[in-house]
Amino acid sequence: ITISESCEKEVKEMVPNVPVTRIPNGIDREYFKPDPEKRVCFRETFSLSEDEQIVLNVAQVSPRKGFYDFMSLARQHPQTRFVWVGGFPYGMASKDYLKIKWMIQQRPDNVLFTGFVRDIAEAYCGADVFFMPTYAETFGLAVLEAQACGLPVIARSIPEFHEIYGDSIRY
């Protein structure tokens, strides 16, 4: 079972004689939905005022997820708050771990790294825009979660997103 066309192609290349079924990811729409109370809770937890425009990313911290582009954009827009939810699932084995840790320590004042959050829907509800600068995905579940919470999404133009969203995306 695969979740996208690119995953299906990869599996068929590795094991061409095994049947493959594609079943895309889904989300719980009762959990991922706009919620004003969750918005307030997230912003209070991280001392974010209601006046701040929050640009959110939810991903592991890595170059593949667009970390350097996220930081560059944040530096270009100091009046906007950039929030990254997620950490280093591979610890010191993560690509560019020490460089990225140093950059996080030297981050501008408008950038917040929360690490793990107990209720991810609060993060989506607390934001104003979802930004996904990833270079590669198998599906991009965070985009779907953000959309379900009512966020506009800005994402890199990658084949996986074109496959999932087809003509409904703007270039």
Side-chain angles (χ1 to χ4, degrees), residues 25-167:
N25 278 326
I27 59 165
D28 180 351
R29 293 294 303 274
E30 291 300 313
Y31 176 69
F32 292 104
K33 62 184 179 184
D35 186 325
E37 290 177 18
K38 287 187 177 197
R39 179 179 179 84
V40 169
C41 186
F42 182 77
R43 286 178 177 245
E44 285 179 354
T45 298
F46 293 100
S47 301
L48 304 167
S49 76
E50 189 54 43
D51 297 347
E52 291 182 89
Q53 182 180 23
I54 308 295
V55 175
L56 176 72
N57 186 13
V58 174
Q60 62 179 289
V61 180
S62 76
R64 178 179 71 84
K65 294 292 189 172
F67 173 82
Y68 298 118
D69 297 316
F70 180 88
M71 293 298 287
S72 176
L73 193 63
R75 289 185 197 287
Q76 293 171 38
H77 298 278
Q79 75 288 0
T80 302
R81 179 68 87 140
F82 286 76
V83 176
W84 187 300
V85 173
F88 295 93
Y90 307 111
M92 288 191 67
S94 300
K95 183 168 177 53
D96 292 358
Y97 177 79
L98 292 176
K99 179 181 178 181
I100 290 172
K101 287 291 273 189
W102 181 84
M103 288 180 72
I104 290 171
Q105 290 173 350
Q106 305 300 315
R107 71 189 176 275
D109 292 339
N110 66 322
V111 177
L112 170 66
F113 288 89
T114 67
F116 172 82
V117 295
R118 70 174 173 79
D119 184 350
I120 193 63
E122 283 183 0
Y124 292 118
C125 292
D128 299 299
V129 175
F130 186 74
F131 176 48
M132 181 63 121
T134 186
Y135 284 90
E137 288 295 317
T138 53
F139 184 85
L141 194 56
V143 170
L144 203 56
E145 294 167 348
Q147 288 175 321
C149 289
L151 290 178
V153 174
I154 299 170
R156 190 175 308 277
S157 178
I158 60 173
E160 295 81 4
F161 294 156
H162 290 277
E163 174 192 341
I164 296 163
Y165 300 106
D167 294 335

